[in-house]
């Protein structure tokens, strides 16, 4: 009995020490402003670890998602749709139940809108294509340059001895992008006629959460890897997109899709292996960057596949943009306020007007780029859009190397060429298959 009592007391002391050293500091870091704990060197060190920041962000999102989950479960179990009433009834019905009217996304509208260009003159069509290509290139090339500037350079450096101050909170940049995109999409929903919305609003939260996490990984990765590496990683996301399509949407793929996916993997591997020793001497840093990139690709792949499922409801792309960004703003601003990082980031903006300009311009480019995406696909289809964006990725690598001094050796350059060759092969094969199917359809009729 005495031995058991001593073991129990020893176990309690160990548990108490564990909570004092590890658990309570993490909870304080989450729920109290950073100014309260700025003097603790242990917590300062933890805050510099990207994985800890990631966990803290996820805990912040959980404080909103978990209560929301229980509320939605309660409304569904209590048969609120039949028995509910009062002022909150329309809001709860829209958020929890929606219209529950599943149908294919405006196929008739999309087909007619894409067939409109044929009736116009070739000159007008050429001008429209130039407008779309220029809008996409300018929006996303500017966005890429600013993204690398904000995450890899300091602000307020007056002399070589004074290094200035670096902005570290990737989540605040995600919030800035989403709040402006929410405003733009909301205005579009008001000004232009949209189909009647039928999806339960809470279903956007899944895509919002994965979209927030993928965007956070995208910004955070630039602290550990070069921008060209990140661009090539984005190009290789077709592989996890196919895997997610298999798991989430039960899709099947052609042999050429697997072949081009393998080519992309080979090209990206060649580039990474050629640039590791010169750009990232620290294997820990390189490993961290690769892990964050994998997180970005996985989260982004889930987002696209979940949005495909949401499009089974009758909705437009602008409505999708509004719903996803609405929950993204809610989750990010809640997490930022809980951490005390929201006002810290605003204070950084007031101290450095150049950063404020860059952050706003970054958000403007992101929102405008999304609108150009919708317009280009609507007018010219996905194949033309994919070609434009593939060229944009190549231009982004060249621009980044020119502005920020990234060097690419022969092996790395060959890997980049293999990646873009595979991307163009995908576009060519997809267009050939589409034209073959259209040629078969009249014969069946």
């Amino acid at each position: 009995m005495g031995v058991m009592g001593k073991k129990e007391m020893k176990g309690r002391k160990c548990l108490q020490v564990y909570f004092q050293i590890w658990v309570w500091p993490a909870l304080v870091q989450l729920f109290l402003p950073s100014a309260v704990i700025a003097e603790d060197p242990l917590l300062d060190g933890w805050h510099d670890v990207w994985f800890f920041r990631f966990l803290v962000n996820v805990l912040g999102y959980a404080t909103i998602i978990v209560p929301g989950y229980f509320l939605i479960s309660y409304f569904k179990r209590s048969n609120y749709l039949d028995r509910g009433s009062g002022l909150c009834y329309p809001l709860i019905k829209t958020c929890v139940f929606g219209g529950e009217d599943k149908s294919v996304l405006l196929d008739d509208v999309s087909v007619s809108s894409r067939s409109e260009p044929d009736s116009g003159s070739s000159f007008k069509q050429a001008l429209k294509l130039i407008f779309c290509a220029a809008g996409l290139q300018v929006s996303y090339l500017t966005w890429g340059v600013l993204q690398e500037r904000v995450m890899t350079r300091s602000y307020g450096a007056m002399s070589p001895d004074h290094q200035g101050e670096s902005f570290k909170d990737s989540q605040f940049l995600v919030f800035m992008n989403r709040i402006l995109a929410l405003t733009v999409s909301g205005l579009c929903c008001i000004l232009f006629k949209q189909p009647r919305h039928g999806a339960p609003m809470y279903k956007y939260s899944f895509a919002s959460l994965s979209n927030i996490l993928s965007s956070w990984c995208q910004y955070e990765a630039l602290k550990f890897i070069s921008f060209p590496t990140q661009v090539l990683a984005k190009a290789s996301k077709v592989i996890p997109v196919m895997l997610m399509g298999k798991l989430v949407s039960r899709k099947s793929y052609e042999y050429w899709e697997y072949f081009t996916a393998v080519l992309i993997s080979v090209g990206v591997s060649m580039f990474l292996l050629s640039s590791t020793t010169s750009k990232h001497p620290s294997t820990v840093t390189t490993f961290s960057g690769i892990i964050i990139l994998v997180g970005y690709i996985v989260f982004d792949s889930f987002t696209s596949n979940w949005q495909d499922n949401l499009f089974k409801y009758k909705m437009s792309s602008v409505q999708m943009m509004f719903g996803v960004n609405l929950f993204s703003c809610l989750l990010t601003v809640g997490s930022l306020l809980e951490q005390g990082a929201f006002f810290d980031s605003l204070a950084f903006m007031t101290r450095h007007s150049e950063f404020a300009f860059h952050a706003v311009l970054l958000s403007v480019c992101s929102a405008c780029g999304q609108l150009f995406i919708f317009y280009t696909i609507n007018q010219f289809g996905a194949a033309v859009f994919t070609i434009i964006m593939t060229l944009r990725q190549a231009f982004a690598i060249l621009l980044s190397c020119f502005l920020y001094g990234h060097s690419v050796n022969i092996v790395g350059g060959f890997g980049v060429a293999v990646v873009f060759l595979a991307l163009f092969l995908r576009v060519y094969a997809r267009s050939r298959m589409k034209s073959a199917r259209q040629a078969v359809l009249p014969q069946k009729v």
Side-chain angles (χ1 to χ4, degrees):
M1 236 359 231
V3 175
M4 291 296 294
K6 289 181 180 179
K7 288 184 177 179
E8 185 178 351
M9 289 293 295
K10 187 176 181 180
R12 287 181 180 178
K13 287 183 179 180
C14 292
L15 186 63
Q16 185 178 5
V17 171
Y18 172 80
F19 268 80
Q20 288 177 349
I21 295 179
W22 302 108
V23 177
W24 296 126
L27 293 176
V28 171
Q29 173 76 0
L30 173 62
F31 293 107
L32 293 180
S34 58
V36 177
I37 54 174
E39 297 179 359
D40 194 332
L42 177 63
L43 292 178
D44 284 345
W46 273 41
H47 195 268
D48 290 335
V49 179
W50 67 267
F51 186 69
F52 175 71
R53 292 196 302 272
F54 177 82
L55 290 180
V56 169
N57 290 344
V58 171
L59 286 174
Y61 305 146
T63 60
I64 300 173
I65 292 173
V66 173
Y69 168 78
F70 285 114
L71 279 175
I72 292 170
S73 301
Y74 167 76
F75 286 127
K76 287 187 173 182
R77 286 198 311 267
S78 62
N79 200 19
Y80 182 84
L81 187 61
D82 297 328
R83 298 187 301 174
S85 61
L87 294 175
C88 295
Y89 177 77
L91 178 62
I92 295 174
K93 180 179 181 296
T94 302
C95 293
V96 179
F97 302 98
E100 297 295 349
D101 178 24
K102 274 194 174 184
S103 60
V104 180
L105 171 65
L106 300 177
D107 286 335
D108 296 334
V109 176
S110 60
V111 170
S112 62
S113 63
R114 289 181 192 177
S115 62
E116 284 176 4
D118 297 333
S119 60
S121 66
S122 300
F123 179 71
K124 287 183 178 179
Q125 280 305 108
L127 287 180
K128 194 178 291 185
L129 180 60
I130 292 173
F131 171 72
C132 291
L136 287 168
Q137 298 292 346
V138 171
S139 297
Y140 282 106
L141 286 176
T142 306
W143 177 78
V145 169
L146 288 174
Q147 185 186 22
E148 188 170 8
R149 168 66 181 89
V150 170
M151 299 307 300
T152 63
R153 301 294 189 272
S154 61
Y155 289 91
M158 300 298 181
S159 62
D161 297 333
H162 184 257
Q163 295 182 352
E165 189 177 6
S166 298
F167 185 76
K168 298 181 179 180
D169 200 330
S170 303
Q171 187 177 208
F172 182 77
L173 293 176
V174 176
F175 167 74
M176 288 285 292
N177 290 348
R178 298 301 175 267
I179 192 67
L180 189 58
L182 176 68
T183 304
V184 172
S185 58
L187 290 175
C188 289
C189 288
I190 294 172
L191 297 176
F192 303 102
K193 186 177 180 180
Q194 305 293 329
R196 185 175 179 179
H197 191 268
M201 288 296 294
Y202 82 89
K203 290 195 173 183
Y204 290 107
S205 62
F206 297 95
S208 296
L209 178 61
S210 58
N211 181 255
I212 290 170
L213 294 176
S214 67
S215 298
W216 184 88
C217 291
Q218 185 178 8
Y219 283 114
E220 197 73 12
L222 286 176
K223 299 177 182 178
F224 305 97
I225 60 171
S226 66
F227 184 77
T229 304
Q230 188 192 74
V231 172
L232 283 186
K234 290 181 185 179
S236 67
K237 73 180 182 181
V238 295
I239 303 166
V241 165
M242 290 170 64
L243 294 175
M244 285 288 182
K246 280 277 190 183
L247 297 174
V248 178
S249 306
R250 305 295 181 184
K251 292 181 179 179
S252 59
Y253 298 96
E254 301 290 338
Y255 71 92
W256 56 265
E257 294 181 281
Y258 291 106
F259 173 70
T260 53
V262 171
L263 278 182
I264 290 172
S265 301
V266 171
V268 172
S269 300
M270 291 174 63
F271 181 83
L272 291 177
L273 292 174
S274 67
S275 61
T276 298
T277 55
S278 60
K279 293 191 178 301
H280 299 291
S282 171
T283 55
V284 176
T285 299
T286 303
F287 180 74
S288 297
I290 291 175
I291 292 297
I292 297 173
L293 273 182
V294 170
Y296 159 76
I297 293 172
V298 171
F299 291 130
D300 192 66
S301 303
F302 177 85
T303 302
S304 59
N305 280 280
W306 188 266
Q307 286 178 326
D308 284 342
N309 284 334
L310 279 180
F311 273 128
K312 294 176 183 177
Y313 292 91
K314 189 178 180 182
M315 70 174 68
S316 67
S317 299
V318 177
Q319 286 174 324
M320 172 71 75
M321 181 178 172
F322 179 83
V324 172
N325 285 300
L326 175 65
F327 281 94
S328 297
C329 290
L330 178 65
L331 293 173
T332 51
V333 75
S335 179
L336 286 167
L337 288 173
E338 289 171 0
Q339 297 178 43
F342 184 79
F343 296 105
D344 289 345
S345 299
L346 290 180
F348 190 94
M349 293 182 73
T350 57
R351 290 196 302 271
H352 305 287
S353 58
E354 186 183 6
F355 167 76
F357 173 73
H358 287 166
V360 172
L361 186 57
L362 192 72
S363 303
V364 170
C365 290
S366 177
C368 291
Q370 291 185 53
L371 294 178
F372 273 111
I373 287 175
F374 298 145
Y375 183 72
T376 304
I377 293 176
N378 181 267
Q379 292 295 317
F380 300 100
V384 174
F385 165 73
T386 305
I387 292 173
I388 295 173
M389 293 304 285
T390 302
L391 290 173
R392 191 273 303 180
Q393 290 175 324
F395 293 151
I397 291 177
L398 294 175
L399 191 60
S400 177
C401 291
F402 175 75
L403 292 177
Y404 298 105
H406 301 299
S407 60
V408 180
N409 59 23
I410 296 176
V411 177
F414 186 73
V416 173
V418 170
V419 170
F420 287 106
L421 174 63
L423 293 175
F424 281 113
L425 281 176
R426 289 179 68 87
V427 176
Y428 173 75
R430 188 177 286 114
S431 62
R432 285 291 300 270
M433 287 195 63
K434 187 176 180 181
S435 59
R437 288 171 184 171
Q438 290 176 348
V440 171
L441 284 176
Q443 296 177 4
K444 290 184 178 180
V445 176

